[in-house]
Amino acid sequence: MIQPTLRPLARSLDPLPGESLTGFLLRLSYRMGSTPHRLATLCGLTCRSDSIPQEQLRGLSPEAAEQLARAAHLTMSEVQALTLQDFTATYTPLAKLRATKTDIGPKSHINWATNPDSRYCPHCLRGNSSPVQQFFGGAWQLRWHLPVTFACTQHLCLLENTCPQCTQPLSGRVITRYTLVQIPHVSGLHPSQCRNRAPGPPPKPRTRAMPCGARLDIPRDATAALSPLDMQHILDLQRNLNLRLDPTHLRRTADEQPPHTYFPDLITTARLITLSWPMGASILPSTALADLVDGYATPYLHNPSQPGLQVRRSAPRGTAETSALLLAAATALGDRDLVPLRERIEPLAREVYRRSTSSGNKLFKNSDASATLLRATAPRVYGFQKRSTLRVAPNFYRFRSAEIPPLLPREWFDAHFQPLMHRLPKMTTLLERHLRWAGSLRLAELVCDQTWPACAETLGIPQNSARRTMNVLGKQLTTPGLWPVFEDTVDLVARQLHGQDRRVDYAHRRRSTADWCLSLTDWKALCEGIPGLEQRQATGDPRVGEAVIWCMVNQASYLHSPTVTHRRSASHSPRRLTEEAALFATRTQRRPSYATLSRRLAAYAARLARACDEGTDLRIEVPNWTTPTGVRQPGPVR
């Protein structure tokens, strides 16, 4: 329990840059000639009989922080800088720990939140040439408690996590709890001495345990575990991670991804590599680094006590293994651009799901990873992501499903789909039509968060047609991994539609034209005076023009027009009806007579569309084709 008032200490120390609360207590207790436990009690920290709870390293309550500041002659900002509280803004796993709960035990080390062991750099513990650091040593750095800190970029070496003499991790563990300082009732040890229990039989009752006492500030002999080139890769990664951990760098990075998603993406990818190992061995630049990951992942994957795949929730304890695993994860992530990211990472996700579907689902369930990573790893069956809750990015579009054209307008298709078309082995008229349907279905998916067959109903497309589109595109896009390209393309269309001030209510147009018919008189007037269409004017079927006009008005396919779907049973040759409608809805019409009639149908459709939008009479007067209208006419739609 925190005492109501505490007397200031007779002496204190200024915290060193980046110093942790643990290091400050060790240095100050050494100067005061007191035990760390006694000093922590005098400073108002929570203490148990055998430990100083490590949870206080994550952050102190305002009352405890004020007590420590008063007793140690510190400012409140200096006290806060001794804890990991400032890192919660940049290191998301740490931010998820509940700061109000002080007794969470080992749970503070799952999900890569903190290190169960204290890592250290012997060169840093030696300190610099200043009198204070010559006597008390250098700072136990706060960042050493984060799993993503594994190297010292100042002294160009990997951090240590075991004592060179007793070879035990500097865990500070007491039974199931973790303490800021091991053996806290022992005084007189230098801050850089090992406080692990000395090897040997357990101490007798009422006998104080003896510490190891080995000096940790003596650099060990350099080993050739990593080549200079591998070490350079590791140090470059650590420098990049240090920049992302810096609270002053809270901004969007060059990859244009929110900075708070980088570490969740990195950790999720590291777990993915572990679960799919050795699938990702080729990601690493050398066999030495791959061997480090292999030594960590292989025993875990083949643990007989845990059959099947289990998502490992804590980081590797060794810094070499951690550095190699995170280098592989960072390389796989790259700049997190969706298309190349999926090409690199989708095989790993597919292998995990092949080994264990439940483990794959568990890996990404309730993940804090970015929408880009979730889209890149989502299993797909013909365009439908099986992980439905991760199907789309957060909905922020202004347009409604009623404002989505059932068949993507040709000008939109031509403007945005060229990169995808160039990567397809062969482009046909049928495939292009399915891509345009799929574009509209994907737009509806973005705002409805439903499957394509469910979205089809809102667009006036038969569900069977949507399933057919999924099957056709599944064969074309799945194997070459082009679904991310398709989704990126539709995202561009969505942003264009989102930015429009005036949008068409296509659902209203479909309702208005559900019972509309083209009279025989109007059909003859449309064909009048066109050389080569005299026979069609005299005996032609007006339902052909009716289907074409309907699809132009509704930006839909004539195959889904009421004329074809509802009235084809009355036709003696329904197939002939669709074939003739296709003649006037083709992209490039070579016959001059058909091209002329297509332009007239488009002009008539423009007037009918305006009448639908304005709610006026749909009986449109056929224009006088001998008088220029001066109005730009829309092109045909098929």
Side-chain angles (χ1 to χ4, degrees):
M1 180 179 295
I2 297 178
Q3 302 176 13
T5 57
L6 294 174
R7 295 177 57 186
L9 299 175
R11 292 173 292 175
S12 186
L13 286 170
D14 291 332
L16 298 176
E19 185 173 28
S20 68
L21 180 60
T22 300
F24 181 74
L25 285 178
L26 290 175
R27 291 195 310 122
L28 187 55
S29 65
Y30 185 62
R31 183 185 187 194
M32 300 286 292
S34 175
T35 67
H37 191 280
R38 174 61 179 164
L39 181 65
T41 303
L42 293 175
C43 290
L45 298 178
T46 300
C47 294
R48 297 189 180 92
S49 61
D50 57 352
S51 63
I52 309 170
Q54 196 186 73
E55 286 77 23
Q56 296 173 101
L57 187 65
R58 295 185 289 111
L60 299 172
S61 66
E63 295 80 9
E66 186 177 352
Q67 295 275 23
L68 176 58
R70 183 184 300 111
H73 306 278
L74 304 177
T75 65
M76 291 296 289
S77 60
E78 287 176 329
V79 170
Q80 179 173 325
L82 293 172
T83 69
L84 294 167
Q85 186 174 348
D86 287 341
F87 285 107
T88 58
T90 54
Y91 192 60
T92 311
L94 187 64
K96 292 196 68 177
L97 294 178
R98 290 174 290 180
T100 57
K101 191 171 183 179
T102 59
D103 186 12
I104 61 174
K107 292 182 180 179
S108 63
H109 308 305
I110 65 174
N111 297 326
W112 293 57
T114 60
N115 276 329
D117 309 324
S118 178
R119 297 172 176 176
Y120 66 96
C121 171
H123 303 276
C124 292
L125 292 183
R126 292 182 65 181
N128 55 29
S129 57
S130 68
V132 173
Q133 294 196 32
Q134 282 184 349
F135 188 76
F136 297 109
W140 284 86
Q141 290 289 322
L142 193 60
R143 293 190 183 194
W144 294 344
H145 290 274
L146 297 179
V148 293
T149 302
F150 44 80
C152 177
T153 57
Q154 178 182 358
H155 298 105
L156 308 181
C157 63
L158 288 172
L159 300 180
E160 304 287 350
N161 70 302
T162 59
C163 170
Q165 180 169 301
C166 68
T167 68
Q168 300 178 69
L170 306 181
S171 62
R173 185 168 182 171
V174 179
I175 308 177
T176 60
R177 299 189 180 101
Y178 288 87
T179 177
L180 284 175
V181 179
Q182 186 73 294
I183 316 182
H185 291 290
V186 173
S187 63
L189 288 179
H190 189 273
S192 297
Q193 283 185 276
C194 174
R195 284 183 164 269
N196 285 328
R197 296 180 186 273
K204 297 179 180 180
R206 299 183 180 180
T207 302
R208 185 161 295 173
M210 294 300 296
C212 168
R215 292 295 292 247
L216 304 175
D217 55 355
I218 300 176
R220 305 186 193 184
D221 294 334
T223 61
L226 296 178
S227 68
L229 183 58
D230 286 344
M231 196 64 204
Q232 187 61 49
H233 289 309
I234 296 300
L235 293 172
D236 289 342
L237 174 62
Q238 186 65 77
R239 292 187 184 97
N240 178 48
L241 297 181
N242 288 346
L243 286 175
R244 293 179 181 273
L245 286 171
D246 191 345
T248 62
H249 287 75
L250 269 179
R251 63 173 185 270
R252 288 184 179 270
T253 55
D255 55 16
E256 297 184 355
Q257 297 281 350
H260 66 273
T261 65
Y262 181 79
F263 286 109
D265 281 1
L266 186 70
I267 294 167
T268 301
T269 306
R271 288 172 169 168
L272 182 65
I273 291 172
T274 303
L275 290 173
S276 61
W277 190 260
M279 174 70 72
S282 60
I283 298 176
L284 288 165
S286 72
T287 56
L289 292 171
D291 289 342
L292 288 172
V293 179
D294 187 73
Y296 164 73
T298 301
Y300 162 65
L301 291 175
H302 301 285
N303 187 353
S305 64
Q306 293 183 338
L309 293 180
Q310 300 292 328
V311 179
R312 198 166 192 171
R313 305 185 68 184
S314 58
R317 303 190 91 175
T319 55
E321 292 82 359
T322 303
S323 64
L325 181 59
L326 289 181
L327 179 62
T331 305
L333 281 177
D335 58 5
R336 295 192 289 173
D337 184 61
L338 178 60
V339 176
L341 173 62
R342 181 167 177 82
E343 293 176 351
R344 292 189 300 268
I345 214 167
E346 193 272 339
L348 305 180
R350 187 168 61 247
E351 175 64 16
V352 171
Y353 277 100
R354 185 192 68 80
R355 296 179 181 181
S356 173
T357 302
S358 61
S359 296
N361 292 335
K362 186 177 180 180
L363 176 62
F364 297 102
K365 183 180 180 181
N366 300 324
S367 175
D368 292 324
S370 65
T372 301
L373 180 61
L374 297 179
R375 287 172 61 186
T377 56
R380 298 164 187 269
V381 176
Y382 295 154
F384 170 63
Q385 294 183 15
K386 293 171 65 177
R387 200 181 314 135
S388 59
T389 57
L390 308 177
R391 189 179 305 126
V392 296
N395 176 13
F396 63 91
Y397 295 111
R398 294 190 301 169
F399 59 85
R400 299 174 293 114
S401 59
E403 297 168 336
I404 298 173
L407 183 67
L408 205 68
R410 190 174 299 283
E411 55 270 21
W412 297 2
F413 184 82
D414 292 342
H416 299 293
F417 275 73
Q418 294 303 317
L420 175 60
M421 293 172 63
H422 291 158
R423 298 185 63 172
L424 290 170
K426 183 179 181 181
M427 176 57 65
T428 63
T429 301
L430 179 63
L431 181 57
E432 179 182 310
R433 182 190 300 167
H434 282 292
L435 281 173
R436 292 173 64 189
W437 272 329
S440 295
L441 291 169
R442 171 64 178 169
L443 288 174
E445 181 187 6
L446 289 172
V447 295
C448 298
D449 194 20
Q450 294 179 329
T451 63
W452 283 10
C455 293
E457 186 176 355
T458 66
L459 300 181
I461 300 174
Q463 289 193 359
N464 287 338
S465 296
R467 294 189 181 96
R468 172 64 177 164
T469 294
M470 292 167 66
N471 290 332
V472 170
L473 295 187
K475 298 174 183 178
Q476 298 290 331
L477 303 184
T478 300
T479 301
L482 294 179
W483 282 113
V485 183
F486 168 79
E487 291 179 354
D488 270 359
T489 300
V490 179
D491 285 346
L492 296 176
V493 178
R495 287 195 285 269
Q496 175 182 332
L497 185 57
H498 170 81
Q500 290 181 355
D501 294 328
R502 299 181 61 183
R503 290 181 286 273
V504 175
D505 189 338
Y506 290 102
H508 174 71
R509 286 189 181 182
R510 290 194 296 273
R511 291 191 297 269
S512 300
T513 56
D515 299 320
W516 169 82
C517 300
L518 180 66
S519 67
L520 181 60
T521 302
D522 287 347
W523 171 248
K524 291 183 176 181
L526 287 167
C527 297
E528 184 179 3
I530 300 178
L533 293 184
E534 295 83 357
Q535 183 66 26
R536 184 174 294 275
Q537 178 186 12
T539 61
D541 189 352
R543 287 175 294 186
V544 174
E546 184 176 300
V548 175
I549 292 173
W550 182 91
C551 78
M552 292 178 176
V553 171
N554 293 282
Q555 283 290 350
S557 172
Y558 62 87
L559 297 174
H560 301 153
S561 67
T563 306
V564 174
T565 58
H566 299 317
R567 303 176 192 174
R568 62 182 0 181
S569 59
S571 172
H572 297 291
S573 181
R575 184 172 181 178
R576 182 180 179 184
L577 173 62
T578 58
E579 290 176 350
E580 291 188 4
L583 295 175
F584 301 100
T586 54
R587 183 168 189 172
T588 55
Q589 181 52 255
R590 296 182 179 181
R591 293 182 60 176
S593 58
Y594 285 176
T596 301
L597 180 56
S598 294
R599 288 193 293 270
R600 291 186 179 185
L601 294 174
Y604 187 95
R607 294 190 176 191
L608 181 61
R610 187 162 50 250
C612 290
D613 297 339
E614 296 173 355
T616 57
D617 193 351
L618 299 186
R619 290 175 292 184
I620 306 300
E621 181 179 356
V622 178
N624 184 353
W625 305 114
T626 61
T627 303
T629 61
V631 180
R632 185 176 181 270
Q633 301 173 354
V637 178
R638 65 177 177 86

